[in-house]
């Protein structure tokens, strides 16, 4: 009886792990893009991000604390007022999870 419960728990654990794995591979939803300018070195770059997810930065409301791809200094960037269309906008420098 106890063995049966143990197997049941193990099967559920495996199912959860597989679910989480497949979800991780499905990242590629609606990507947002912001055109940002570093206040330290004035370099311009694009920042791609997924709304609601933040793996590479701290979230500060509509702003994020990001590292400049050029001078590697950290600054607060406003993502709301700098949003551009990822389909038509393309900069040479681009950072972000995708
Ligand atoms: Zn910079």
């Amino acid at each position: 009886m106890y063995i049966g419960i143990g197997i049941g728990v193990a099967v559920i654990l495996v199912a959860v792990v597989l679910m989480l794995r497949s979800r991780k591979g499905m990242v590629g939803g609606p990507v947002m893009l912001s055109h940002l300018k570093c206040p330290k070195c004035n370099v311009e770059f694009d920042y791609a991000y997924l709304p609601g997810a933040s793996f590479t930065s701290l979230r500060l409301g509509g702003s994020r604390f990001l590292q400049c791809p050029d001078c590697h200094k950290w600054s607060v960037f406003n993502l709301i007022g700098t949003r551009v269309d990822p389909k038509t906008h393309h900069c040479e420098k681009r950072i972000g999870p995708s």
Side-chain angles (χ1 to χ4, degrees), residues 25-35 46-56 64 79 82-90 94-98:
M26 274 165 63
V27 170
V31 175
M32 313 281 265
L33 196 70
S34 281
H35 182 78
D46 288 347
Y47 173 60
Y49 57 100
L50 298 164
S54 64
F55 301 106
T56 55
R64 286 198 196 180
L79 298 185
T82 53
R83 270 179 56 188
V84 290
D85 189 348
K87 289 189 185 79
T88 55
H89 186 89
H90 182 74
R94 180 169 172 164
I95 58 168
S98 50

Side-chain angles (χ1 to χ4, degrees), residues 10-27:
V11 166
I12 290 167
L13 279 175
V14 168
V16 167
V17 167
L18 287 176
M19 255 173 62
L20 289 175
R21 261 198 203 165
S22 62
R23 208 188 261 178
K24 223 178 188 182
M26 274 165 63
V27 170

Side-chain angles (χ1 to χ4, degrees), residues 38 40-43 68 70-72:
C38 173
K40 307 261 162 60
C41 70
N42 282 333
V43 79
C68 169
D70 223 55
C71 67
H72 302 293

